[in-house]
Amino acid sequence: DGSGLRIDDNYIHDFYEAIKGLVGAESPTPSQLIANAPAIAALMPLGSSRRRILDMVVRSSSTSSAAHAWLAQFGRQFDALLARSARQRNAAVHGGATVPAVIETVSPFVAELGTRVVKGAMTASADDVPLPIWFEQTRLKAREKMTLLESGMGLSEIVEQ
């Protein structure tokens, strides 16, 4: 990433020790990490990809409206990839033309979606909840979090609800 830093076990250990010191916890929670994102970003060298990613997290979680807009953008991206995946599946199943470049854009998404479905099925089974109900409950929880963001609650306050 151009930072010139060598990522080795000592570097990783020191980085996690610094985070634990900033947060004041042995195992920081997601809300603690979000709340301390500016200080965590400052641990990374300027110009490094890690710093750019953390700076984006800081900007995107700085206010409830910024977090809402950030998550809504993910929702739009998900919807677009899902629609593109369905079109490519339909073309393949029904003998239509597919475009290799388009297939390449949806393959990682479909793989991740499959992984999440399997994890959801395992969780639903372990909780003895029918899979369709588990998925609907999960969707409703996500919608509730978006509503809390819309009401002005901060991302670090709702991430673990």
Side-chain angles (χ1 to χ4, degrees):
D1 64 353
S3 68
L5 285 179
R6 183 169 165 249
I7 304 299
D8 60 20
D9 289 341
N10 289 332
Y11 174 81
I12 292 169
H13 175 266
D14 293 347
F15 176 71
Y16 283 111
E17 288 300 314
I19 290 175
K20 290 190 289 189
L22 285 170
V23 173
E26 185 65 28
S27 297
T29 64
S31 63
Q32 290 172 320
L33 293 172
I34 292 168
N36 289 281
I40 294 169
L43 296 173
M44 295 290 108
L46 284 172
S48 70
S49 62
R50 296 175 304 280
R51 177 65 178 260
R52 286 190 300 273
I53 290 168
L54 286 165
D55 285 342
M56 187 266 312
V57 169
V58 169
R59 283 189 309 277
S60 300
S61 63
S62 62
T63 66
S64 59
S65 60
H68 184 273
W70 187 35
L71 293 173
Q73 177 62 30
F74 282 128
R76 288 187 296 276
Q77 290 170 346
F78 177 90
D79 291 344
L81 285 167
L82 186 61
R84 188 179 302 154
S85 299
R87 286 190 302 273
Q88 292 305 304
R89 182 202 64 88
N90 289 343
V93 168
H94 300 293
T98 59
V99 179
V102 175
I103 297 290
E104 287 179 29
T105 68
V106 297
S107 291
F109 170 77
V110 171
E112 177 65 22
L113 189 58
T115 298
R116 289 178 182 262
V117 168
V118 169
K119 285 181 179 178
M122 292 170 63
T123 301
S125 178
D127 293 344
D128 199 28
V129 176
L131 186 58
I133 292 172
W134 184 88
F135 276 118
E136 183 61 11
Q137 289 170 340
T138 302
R139 187 192 69 76
L140 289 173
K141 286 178 191 173
R143 182 63 238 157
E144 286 173 16
K145 289 180 180 185
M146 290 297 280
T147 300
L148 290 172
L149 285 172
E150 289 169 348
S151 74
M153 188 177 282
L155 183 62
S156 65
E157 298 173 81
I158 66 164
V159 72
E160 294 178 45
Q161 289 186 1

